[in-house]
Amino acid sequence: MNNIFEAPFVREMCETTANMYRLGWDERNGGNISCRLDAPMVEAYLDPGRVLRTLTLDFDASPLAGQYFIVTGTGKYFKNVKHCPQDNLGVIRIRPDGRAYEILWGFEDGGRPTSELPTHLMNHVQRLKADPKHRVVMHCHPLNLLAMTFVHDLDEKKFTKTLWRMCTECIVVFPEGVGVLPWMVCGNDAIGEATAQKIRDHRIVIWAAHGIFGTGETMDEAFGLIETVEKAAQVYMTIGRMPVRQSITDVQLRSLCQAFGIRPRAGYLDV
Ligand code: 13P
Ligand code: ZN
């Protein structure tokens, strides 16, 4: 059996959480990540028959039956993950009936997966329907995006179009736009269901006054989406009190889409 501390999926979680902390996206225990893993990869490092603990789910995760995930722990600080992955991370597998999951590695100090596990698993179910290669759900609390949800209309079309106008590349990176949820209590099935509904046809969902969910086939893709949205929000908050003299028009956004061969969300460009 290989040394799990050297597994690429453990190393990648250590590097990503450190990077997110460095960017100020994950104060204290803020943020969580889950990444779907292939069985042969996991079973090169772990005995699949050695279950440490079984915990219940109060929703139906059966579309993910048998799937392995590496996830961050609840209450754990991203800044500490790389120093002690075995306490701050865990590898879980969804039980065949989808009503429970097994911990096969990690959470050694008695911890458990993130309180946002319902949202993560429900998002995985929906994104896998849209993209069978989907793997990553990432949540964090970037400063400018949070600030923007206090001062900008939360209408999805308006929010998306403001982001698209802040940096030329935004419409190329997320042509489907962003989903936006009003403030809700976090860490439960209800916010999970509301988020999963939006994540079906967006890879990004914003929680007002809380943070963002980014998804993707790779850690880089989920990270890059969040990074791009946060940069656009930073431009928006930076120019907020200044008179805007020029911006990117809908005609220009349309010509960007033509140049890059992408289709923006239907009905969002008024040309
Ligand atoms: P956890 O520590 O349970 O992952 O919660 C952090 C968070 O960001 C909740 O939305
Ligand atoms: Zn959060």
Side-chain angles (χ1 to χ4, degrees):
M1 199 64 70
N2 296 310
N3 178 359
I4 192 162
F5 291 93
E6 284 161 19
F9 52 89
V10 172
R11 298 258 37 94
E12 190 173 42
M13 287 289 272
C14 290
E15 277 158 29
T16 306
T17 48
N19 217 4
M20 292 170 77
Y21 178 70
R22 179 182 63 76
L23 288 164
W25 298 353
D26 299 278
E27 75 293 341
R28 198 174 183 275
N29 65 308
N32 24 76
I33 307 176
S34 61
C35 178
R36 193 170 62 83
L37 305 172
D38 288 335
M41 167 69 92
V42 174
E43 292 168 9
Y45 295 91
L46 290 175
D47 173 358
R50 195 165 166 268
V51 173
L52 305 176
R53 279 185 277 161
T54 301
L55 299 170
T56 55
L57 292 167
D58 51 16
F59 61 95
D60 176 18
S62 59
L64 302 173
Q67 295 267 357
Y68 288 99
F69 296 88
I70 187 163
V71 293
T72 53
T74 186
K76 301 302 188 189
Y77 292 25
F78 272 23
K79 76 183 176 65
N80 296 338
V81 174
K82 71 174 178 197
H83 303 299
C84 190
Q86 68 274 24
D87 283 353
N88 294 290
L89 302 176
V91 173
I92 65 168
R93 180 177 58 203
I94 309 300
R95 293 274 309 154
D97 66 358
R99 289 286 171 183
Y101 61 93
E102 300 160 327
I103 299 176
L104 288 105
W105 174 80
F107 305 131
E108 282 183 8
D109 59 353
R112 51 191 296 161
T114 172
S115 60
E116 306 295 1
L117 191 66
T119 300
H120 281 252
L121 295 181
M122 291 179 199
N123 282 351
H124 284 295
V125 170
Q126 293 306 326
R127 286 310 305 162
L128 277 166
K129 286 185 196 162
D131 173 8
K133 291 200 283 188
H134 158 84
R135 285 190 186 280
V136 178
V137 174
M138 184 180 282
H139 166 63
C140 58
H141 305 160
L143 171 68
N144 293 286
L145 177 68
L146 251 90
M148 188 170 162
T149 67
F150 287 83
V151 296
H152 195 283
D153 194 317
L154 294 179
D155 172 78
E156 280 172 1
K157 176 176 172 183
K158 290 183 184 155
F159 207 95
T160 295
K161 287 191 72 176
T162 298
L163 293 172
W164 281 352
R165 285 203 191 93
M166 293 300 114
C167 306
T168 296
E169 305 241 311
C170 277
I171 195 168
V172 180
V173 176
F174 52 95
E176 77 273 41
V178 297
V180 183
L181 280 181
W183 186 89
M184 289 177 75
V185 173
C186 60
N188 58 30
D189 293 1
I191 200 168
E193 280 157 18
T195 309
Q197 232 173 31
K198 298 206 174 275
I199 213 102
R200 254 188 237 167
D201 57 353
H202 304 88
R203 289 164 299 157
I204 303 160
V205 173
I206 292 162
W207 286 358
H210 185 141
I212 184 168
F213 274 83
T215 63
E217 294 179 4
T218 63
M219 208 68 92
D220 269 355
E221 186 187 350
F223 187 95
L225 285 170
I226 294 173
E227 199 173 30
T228 307
V229 168
E230 171 60 1
K231 170 61 75 69
Q234 185 177 10
V235 175
Y236 179 77
M237 295 309 296
T238 304
I239 63 175
R241 287 162 182 255
M242 300 177 210
V244 173
R245 292 169 187 268
Q246 53 277 317
S247 178
I248 303 174
T249 65
D250 279 19
V251 171
Q252 290 168 328
L253 289 171
R254 177 71 70 196
S255 50
L256 268 170
C257 293
Q258 279 156 1
F260 286 87
I262 50 154
R263 257 196 308 172
R265 191 174 201 85
Y268 273 25
L269 293 185
D270 300 322
V271 281

